[in-house]
Amino acid sequence: MSKIVLFVALTWLTGSPIVAIIVLLIIFYVLERRFIGLSPSIVKPLKRARKLSRLRQELRLSPHQTSAKLDMARIWIEQRKYTQAYELLLQITEVMSDSAEVRADLGICELKLGHLQQGEQSLQHALELNPRVKYGEPYLRLAEAWAEQDPHKAITYLQQFQSVNSSSCEAYYRLGQLYTQLDRKVDAREAYRATVELYRGLPRYKRRFERRWVVLAKLKGFA
């Protein structure tokens, strides 16, 4: 009812039902981004494009600037341009061979490119250099990569991730997915419930980043 009242009010204010619908969609999008975060961001791609343009300019002036190359590789990972990112990260590892974060980025690209064994080795190397690198993200990406081929192995990686990062709702949600895949319905239900319970205990600043996993867990009908 409130949506209908809002629509009527906007139609009266704008003088056009089409404009009112557009305004409503913008309002709902902003609220969804602010409180849930399932829809894609419109602003992030624009920011990435601007930063990428600036980095290209920097590399034209200074082709061997490692920090600019690393920033560019990470933007490409965000854009899912894993081949370009991987080629750049190979160059960076020649200079920063002992960097756990660079090794982790390299391993993530290898996983995304379908090189599971190679990616696993790179990520394990990164974890040897720093067991808490990227707050345990290598474990999460390994679990994600092995979920289809070896769910039991994926569960082990998720459990390792939880030992490093105990405030991740994503880990419990993905654990629920794996248990569902293995037809362990009771364990899946408990994992989805744990997603919600963990979220409720998080500080407010952290909830915004974890909210989407709670929404997805509730959509499963178990939480």
Short mmCIF file of all heavy atoms in Angstrom, two decimals, residues 137-171:
data_model
loop_
_atom_site.label_atom_id
_atom_site.label_comp_id
_atom_site.label_asym_id
_atom_site.label_seq_id
_atom_site.Cartn_x
_atom_site.Cartn_y
_atom_site.Cartn_z
N GLU A 137 41.52 -15.13 2.63
CA GLU A 137 40.77 -15.26 1.36
C GLU A 137 41.24 -16.43 0.49
O GLU A 137 40.40 -17.06 -0.18
CB GLU A 137 40.86 -13.96 0.55
CG GLU A 137 40.02 -14.00 -0.71
CD GLU A 137 40.17 -12.77 -1.58
OE1 GLU A 137 40.86 -11.82 -1.16
OE2 GLU A 137 39.61 -12.77 -2.69
N PRO A 138 42.56 -16.77 0.46
CA PRO A 138 42.97 -17.93 -0.35
C PRO A 138 42.19 -19.20 -0.03
O PRO A 138 41.84 -19.95 -0.93
CB PRO A 138 44.46 -18.08 0.00
CG PRO A 138 44.91 -16.68 0.28
CD PRO A 138 43.75 -16.05 1.01
N TYR A 139 41.90 -19.45 1.25
CA TYR A 139 41.11 -20.63 1.63
C TYR A 139 39.72 -20.57 1.02
O TYR A 139 39.18 -21.57 0.52
CB TYR A 139 40.98 -20.73 3.15
CG TYR A 139 42.26 -21.05 3.87
CD1 TYR A 139 42.76 -20.19 4.85
CD2 TYR A 139 42.97 -22.22 3.61
CE1 TYR A 139 43.93 -20.48 5.54
CE2 TYR A 139 44.15 -22.52 4.29
CZ TYR A 139 44.62 -21.64 5.26
OH TYR A 139 45.78 -21.93 5.93
N LEU A 140 39.12 -19.38 1.05
CA LEU A 140 37.77 -19.20 0.51
C LEU A 140 37.75 -19.44 -0.99
O LEU A 140 36.85 -20.11 -1.52
CB LEU A 140 37.28 -17.79 0.84
CG LEU A 140 35.80 -17.48 0.67
CD1 LEU A 140 34.94 -18.44 1.47
CD2 LEU A 140 35.51 -16.04 1.05
N ARG A 141 38.73 -18.90 -1.69
CA ARG A 141 38.78 -19.08 -3.15
C ARG A 141 39.10 -20.52 -3.53
O ARG A 141 38.61 -21.03 -4.55
CB ARG A 141 39.82 -18.13 -3.77
CG ARG A 141 39.54 -16.66 -3.51
CD ARG A 141 38.13 -16.27 -3.95
NE ARG A 141 37.62 -15.14 -3.16
CZ ARG A 141 36.40 -15.02 -2.75
NH1 ARG A 141 35.50 -15.95 -3.05
NH2 ARG A 141 36.01 -13.97 -2.05
N LEU A 142 39.90 -21.20 -2.73
CA LEU A 142 40.17 -22.62 -2.99
C LEU A 142 38.91 -23.45 -2.78
O LEU A 142 38.62 -24.37 -3.55
CB LEU A 142 41.30 -23.10 -2.07
CG LEU A 142 42.71 -22.68 -2.49
CD1 LEU A 142 43.70 -22.90 -1.35
CD2 LEU A 142 43.17 -23.44 -3.74
N ALA A 143 38.17 -23.13 -1.74
CA ALA A 143 36.90 -23.84 -1.49
C ALA A 143 35.94 -23.63 -2.65
O ALA A 143 35.28 -24.57 -3.11
CB ALA A 143 36.28 -23.35 -0.19
N GLU A 144 35.87 -22.41 -3.12
CA GLU A 144 35.00 -22.07 -4.25
C GLU A 144 35.41 -22.83 -5.50
O GLU A 144 34.57 -23.36 -6.24
CB GLU A 144 35.10 -20.56 -4.48
CG GLU A 144 34.19 -20.00 -5.54
CD GLU A 144 34.39 -18.50 -5.68
OE1 GLU A 144 35.42 -18.07 -6.24
OE2 GLU A 144 33.53 -17.74 -5.20
N ALA A 145 36.73 -22.92 -5.75
CA ALA A 145 37.24 -23.57 -6.96
C ALA A 145 37.03 -25.08 -6.94
O ALA A 145 36.76 -25.69 -7.99
CB ALA A 145 38.73 -23.25 -7.12
N TRP A 146 37.12 -25.70 -5.76
CA TRP A 146 37.02 -27.16 -5.66
C TRP A 146 35.61 -27.63 -5.37
O TRP A 146 35.37 -28.85 -5.26
CB TRP A 146 37.98 -27.68 -4.59
CG TRP A 146 39.41 -27.68 -5.01
CD1 TRP A 146 40.39 -26.81 -4.62
CD2 TRP A 146 40.05 -28.60 -5.90
NE1 TRP A 146 41.58 -27.12 -5.23
CE2 TRP A 146 41.40 -28.22 -6.02
CE3 TRP A 146 39.60 -29.71 -6.62
CZ2 TRP A 146 42.32 -28.89 -6.82
CZ3 TRP A 146 40.50 -30.40 -7.43
CH2 TRP A 146 41.85 -29.99 -7.52
N ALA A 147 34.67 -26.71 -5.22
CA ALA A 147 33.31 -27.07 -4.79
C ALA A 147 32.66 -28.12 -5.69
O ALA A 147 31.99 -29.04 -5.19
CB ALA A 147 32.43 -25.82 -4.73
N GLU A 148 32.84 -28.01 -6.98
CA GLU A 148 32.22 -28.95 -7.91
C GLU A 148 32.98 -30.27 -8.00
O GLU A 148 32.38 -31.35 -7.96
CB GLU A 148 32.10 -28.32 -9.30
CG GLU A 148 31.10 -27.17 -9.39
CD GLU A 148 29.68 -27.61 -9.12
OE1 GLU A 148 29.33 -28.76 -9.48
OE2 GLU A 148 28.90 -26.82 -8.54
N GLN A 149 34.29 -30.20 -8.11
CA GLN A 149 35.09 -31.41 -8.32
C GLN A 149 35.30 -32.23 -7.06
O GLN A 149 35.32 -33.45 -7.12
CB GLN A 149 36.46 -31.02 -8.91
CG GLN A 149 36.38 -30.50 -10.34
CD GLN A 149 37.75 -30.46 -11.00
OE1 GLN A 149 38.66 -31.20 -10.63
NE2 GLN A 149 37.90 -29.61 -11.99
N ASP A 150 35.47 -31.53 -5.93
CA ASP A 150 35.77 -32.25 -4.68
C ASP A 150 35.15 -31.49 -3.50
O ASP A 150 35.85 -30.74 -2.80
CB ASP A 150 37.29 -32.38 -4.51
CG ASP A 150 37.67 -33.35 -3.40
OD1 ASP A 150 36.82 -33.62 -2.52
OD2 ASP A 150 38.81 -33.85 -3.41
N PRO A 151 33.84 -31.66 -3.26
CA PRO A 151 33.17 -30.91 -2.19
C PRO A 151 33.78 -31.13 -0.80
O PRO A 151 33.81 -30.21 0.01
CB PRO A 151 31.73 -31.44 -2.24
CG PRO A 151 31.57 -31.96 -3.64
CD PRO A 151 32.91 -32.50 -4.02
N HIS A 152 34.25 -32.35 -0.53
CA HIS A 152 34.86 -32.62 0.78
C HIS A 152 36.12 -31.80 0.98
O HIS A 152 36.37 -31.25 2.07
CB HIS A 152 35.18 -34.12 0.91
CG HIS A 152 33.96 -34.99 0.95
ND1 HIS A 152 33.15 -35.09 2.05
CD2 HIS A 152 33.40 -35.79 -0.01
CE1 HIS A 152 32.15 -35.91 1.80
NE2 HIS A 152 32.28 -36.34 0.55
N LYS A 153 36.91 -31.68 -0.06
CA LYS A 153 38.11 -30.86 -0.01
C LYS A 153 37.73 -29.39 0.17
O LYS A 153 38.38 -28.65 0.94
CB LYS A 153 38.91 -31.03 -1.31
CG LYS A 153 40.28 -30.37 -1.31
CD LYS A 153 41.00 -30.72 -2.62
CE LYS A 153 42.45 -30.31 -2.58
NZ LYS A 153 43.18 -30.72 -3.81
N ALA A 154 36.69 -28.97 -0.51
CA ALA A 154 36.21 -27.59 -0.39
C ALA A 154 35.77 -27.29 1.03
O ALA A 154 36.05 -26.21 1.56
CB ALA A 154 35.06 -27.35 -1.37
N ILE A 155 35.09 -28.24 1.67
CA ILE A 155 34.67 -28.05 3.06
C ILE A 155 35.87 -27.89 3.98
O ILE A 155 35.88 -27.04 4.88
CB ILE A 155 33.79 -29.24 3.51
CG1 ILE A 155 32.42 -29.16 2.85
CG2 ILE A 155 33.64 -29.26 5.04
CD1 ILE A 155 31.54 -30.38 3.07
N THR A 156 36.92 -28.66 3.75
CA THR A 156 38.14 -28.55 4.55
C THR A 156 38.73 -27.15 4.43
O THR A 156 39.15 -26.54 5.42
CB THR A 156 39.19 -29.59 4.10
OG1 THR A 156 38.64 -30.89 4.28
CG2 THR A 156 40.47 -29.46 4.91
N TYR A 157 38.77 -26.63 3.20
CA TYR A 157 39.31 -25.28 3.00
C TYR A 157 38.43 -24.23 3.68
O TYR A 157 38.94 -23.26 4.25
CB TYR A 157 39.43 -24.97 1.51
CG TYR A 157 40.70 -25.51 0.88
CD1 TYR A 157 40.66 -26.29 -0.28
CD2 TYR A 157 41.94 -25.23 1.43
CE1 TYR A 157 41.83 -26.78 -0.86
CE2 TYR A 157 43.12 -25.71 0.86
CZ TYR A 157 43.05 -26.49 -0.28
OH TYR A 157 44.20 -26.96 -0.85
N LEU A 158 37.12 -24.41 3.64
CA LEU A 158 36.22 -23.47 4.31
C LEU A 158 36.44 -23.48 5.82
O LEU A 158 36.42 -22.43 6.47
CB LEU A 158 34.77 -23.80 3.99
CG LEU A 158 34.19 -23.25 2.69
CD1 LEU A 158 32.76 -23.71 2.50
CD2 LEU A 158 34.25 -21.73 2.66
N GLN A 159 36.65 -24.65 6.36
CA GLN A 159 36.90 -24.75 7.80
C GLN A 159 38.22 -24.08 8.17
O GLN A 159 38.32 -23.45 9.23
CB GLN A 159 36.89 -26.22 8.22
CG GLN A 159 35.49 -26.84 8.15
CD GLN A 159 35.49 -28.35 8.31
OE1 GLN A 159 36.51 -29.01 8.11
NE2 GLN A 159 34.33 -28.91 8.65
N GLN A 160 39.21 -24.21 7.30
CA GLN A 160 40.49 -23.52 7.53
C GLN A 160 40.30 -22.00 7.45
O GLN A 160 40.90 -21.25 8.23
CB GLN A 160 41.53 -23.98 6.50
CG GLN A 160 42.01 -25.40 6.74
CD GLN A 160 42.96 -25.86 5.65
OE1 GLN A 160 42.62 -25.93 4.47
NE2 GLN A 160 44.18 -26.19 6.03
N PHE A 161 39.46 -21.58 6.51
CA PHE A 161 39.17 -20.15 6.39
C PHE A 161 38.52 -19.63 7.67
O PHE A 161 38.85 -18.55 8.16
CB PHE A 161 38.28 -19.89 5.19
CG PHE A 161 37.80 -18.47 5.09
CD1 PHE A 161 38.66 -17.45 4.73
CD2 PHE A 161 36.47 -18.15 5.36
CE1 PHE A 161 38.22 -16.14 4.65
CE2 PHE A 161 36.03 -16.84 5.27
CZ PHE A 161 36.90 -15.83 4.91
N GLN A 162 37.57 -20.39 8.21
CA GLN A 162 36.86 -19.97 9.42
C GLN A 162 37.80 -19.85 10.61
O GLN A 162 37.57 -19.04 11.51
CB GLN A 162 35.73 -20.95 9.72
CG GLN A 162 34.56 -20.83 8.74
CD GLN A 162 33.53 -21.93 8.91
OE1 GLN A 162 33.89 -23.09 9.13
NE2 GLN A 162 32.27 -21.58 8.82
N SER A 163 38.87 -20.66 10.62
CA SER A 163 39.83 -20.58 11.72
C SER A 163 40.66 -19.30 11.65
O SER A 163 41.17 -18.82 12.66
CB SER A 163 40.77 -21.80 11.70
OG SER A 163 41.64 -21.74 10.59
N VAL A 164 40.76 -18.72 10.44
CA VAL A 164 41.53 -17.48 10.24
C VAL A 164 40.60 -16.27 10.33
O VAL A 164 40.95 -15.25 10.92
CB VAL A 164 42.25 -17.49 8.87
CG1 VAL A 164 42.94 -16.15 8.61
CG2 VAL A 164 43.25 -18.62 8.81
N ASN A 165 39.42 -16.39 9.73
CA ASN A 165 38.46 -15.29 9.69
C ASN A 165 37.12 -15.78 10.23
O ASN A 165 36.30 -16.32 9.49
CB ASN A 165 38.32 -14.78 8.25
CG ASN A 165 37.51 -13.50 8.16
OD1 ASN A 165 36.76 -13.16 9.06
ND2 ASN A 165 37.68 -12.78 7.06
N SER A 166 36.92 -15.59 11.51
CA SER A 166 35.74 -16.16 12.17
C SER A 166 34.50 -15.27 12.03
O SER A 166 33.43 -15.62 12.54
CB SER A 166 36.03 -16.38 13.66
OG SER A 166 36.40 -15.16 14.28
N SER A 167 34.63 -14.12 11.37
CA SER A 167 33.49 -13.21 11.25
C SER A 167 32.96 -13.12 9.82
O SER A 167 32.39 -12.12 9.43
CB SER A 167 33.90 -11.80 11.74
OG SER A 167 34.95 -11.28 10.94
N SER A 168 33.17 -14.20 9.05
CA SER A 168 32.71 -14.20 7.66
C SER A 168 31.40 -14.97 7.51
O SER A 168 31.36 -16.19 7.65
CB SER A 168 33.78 -14.82 6.75
OG SER A 168 33.28 -14.99 5.45
N CYS A 169 30.34 -14.25 7.17
CA CYS A 169 29.06 -14.90 6.88
C CYS A 169 29.14 -15.68 5.57
O CYS A 169 28.45 -16.69 5.40
CB CYS A 169 27.95 -13.85 6.79
SG CYS A 169 27.57 -13.04 8.36
N GLU A 170 29.96 -15.21 4.65
CA GLU A 170 30.11 -15.89 3.36
C GLU A 170 30.57 -17.33 3.55
O GLU A 170 30.11 -18.24 2.86
CB GLU A 170 31.09 -15.14 2.46
CG GLU A 170 31.25 -15.78 1.09
CD GLU A 170 32.24 -15.07 0.18
OE1 GLU A 170 32.81 -14.05 0.61
OE2 GLU A 170 32.43 -15.54 -0.95
N ALA A 171 31.49 -17.54 4.49
CA ALA A 171 32.02 -18.89 4.72
C ALA A 171 30.91 -19.85 5.14
O ALA A 171 30.82 -20.98 4.65
CB ALA A 171 33.11 -18.85 5.77
#
